[in-house]
Amino acid sequence: GAGVSQSPRYKVTKRGQDVALRCDPISGHVSLYWYRQALGQGPEFLTYFNYEAQQDKSGLPNDRFSAERPEGSISTLTIQRTEQRDSAMYRCASSSRVRDNEQFFGPGTRLTVL
Amino acid sequence: GDSVTQMEGPVTLSEEAFLTINCTYTATGYPSLFWYVQYPGEGLQLLLKATKADDKGSNKGFEATYRKETTSFHLEKGSVQVSDSAVYFCALSDLGGGSEKLVFGKGTKLTVNP
């Protein structure tokens, strides 16, 4: 079956623009996670959802970052007024059950802010 | 808070050499432990996991044992192949601590030469 998909795979934007990154989890997976990975570092947690409910957004760095999952499936991570320091790989993962810590990752979106 | 410390890379080995990548953790609860692998140009894949003390996770010839007394989860393989060249990430998930997020180490890049 299909794995986690993310789009776009690459995004280049100018400082100050808004960007929206999409994640399509594995069909039927109830939990969805967003991580950010800087070059040479491990992924860092941003936020996660169980179904459509955002459970933990403690990793979002500031109020320019937001995420939604309105129907409990596809999720969008939005970054407003992008800055160069937002450049990173943004990774999405999903898991089949609540409190199931086996997460399946998508290929990531490489964001470059010029 | 929870954290993972893993051996700094890069690590370069010859084919059929023995591999150890060290990983230690700190956690407030009783975490599950994971090794993820990222092959060149691909996303993160779960390699193995262990959910309780003295459990041994294994896959593709790799092994790691959950050592609560030393808070460690070192990755080992008896004979590496060129195809094992990748970046390896140690991670934990502390569901008992109230969060479903994964906390990752910085990653260790392994290169295996023929």
Side-chain angles (χ1 to χ4, degrees):
Chain A
V4 178
S5 61
Q6 293 185 244
S7 60
R9 293 291 308 277
Y10 302 90
K11 177 70 177 178
V12 180
T13 191
K14 292 183 178 179
R15 189 175 50 192
Q17 297 295 306
D18 298 350
V19 295
L21 311 181
R22 173 183 165 130
C23 173
D24 200 342
I26 293 172
S27 178
H29 276 202
V30 301
S31 298
L32 185 148
Y33 310 81
W34 284 100
Y35 295 84
R36 179 169 71 172
Q37 185 175 8
L39 204 59
Q41 302 293 315
E44 292 185 341
F45 170 79
L46 294 176
T47 185
Y48 85 94
F49 296 81
N50 288 334
Y51 302 95
E52 72 281 359
Q54 192 170 21
Q55 299 294 319
D56 181 354
K57 54 182 181 179
S58 63
L60 296 176
N62 52 60
D63 60 8
R64 296 186 297 105
F65 288 73
S66 63
E68 63 175 8
R69 194 187 185 201
E71 297 178 0
S73 180
I74 293 167
S75 176
T76 302
L77 177 69
T78 300
I79 309 173
Q80 295 180 314
R81 304 180 304 281
T82 53
E83 302 178 4
Q84 286 187 326
R85 59 178 172 157
D86 299 334
S87 296
M89 177 72 83
Y90 288 82
R91 297 195 183 275
C92 175
S94 67
S95 62
S96 60
R97 301 173 306 202
V98 173
R99 295 182 65 78
D100 177 355
N101 49 27
E102 185 162 348
Q103 298 178 18
F104 297 83
F105 282 80
T109 294
R110 169 72 68 187
L111 175 66
T112 302
V113 183
L114 301 177
Chain B
D2 297 347
S3 67
V4 173
T5 302
Q6 64 181 102
M7 190 169 106
E8 296 277 337
V11 174
T12 302
L13 296 173
S14 297
E15 205 164 25
E16 300 184 1
F18 184 85
L19 169 71
T20 299
I21 301 177
N22 290 337
C23 172
T24 58
Y25 68 91
T26 59
T28 53
Y30 197 166
S32 295
L33 301 174
F34 305 83
W35 278 99
Y36 277 82
V37 59
Q38 183 176 4
Y39 298 104
E42 298 185 14
L44 288 165
Q45 301 175 24
L46 179 64
L47 180 60
L48 54 84
K49 71 174 186 179
T51 58
K52 61 182 187 296
D54 300 324
D55 266 3
K56 178 185 286 188
S58 61
N59 186 24
K60 300 182 180 180
F62 290 89
E63 293 183 340
T65 301
Y66 190 141
R67 299 290 188 200
K68 191 169 186 292
E69 63 276 15
T70 55
T71 62
S72 65
F73 192 55
H74 304 321
L75 182 69
E76 296 183 336
K77 187 174 185 181
S79 176
V80 293
Q81 305 300 311
V82 171
S83 58
D84 294 327
S85 298
V87 182
Y88 293 82
F89 293 93
C90 185
L92 68 82
S93 175
D94 188 5
L95 293 179
S99 174
E100 298 181 30
K101 66 184 180 185
L102 287 168
V103 176
F104 286 88
K106 291 186 176 182
T108 303
K109 183 176 182 179
L110 170 66
T111 301
V112 181
N113 295 318

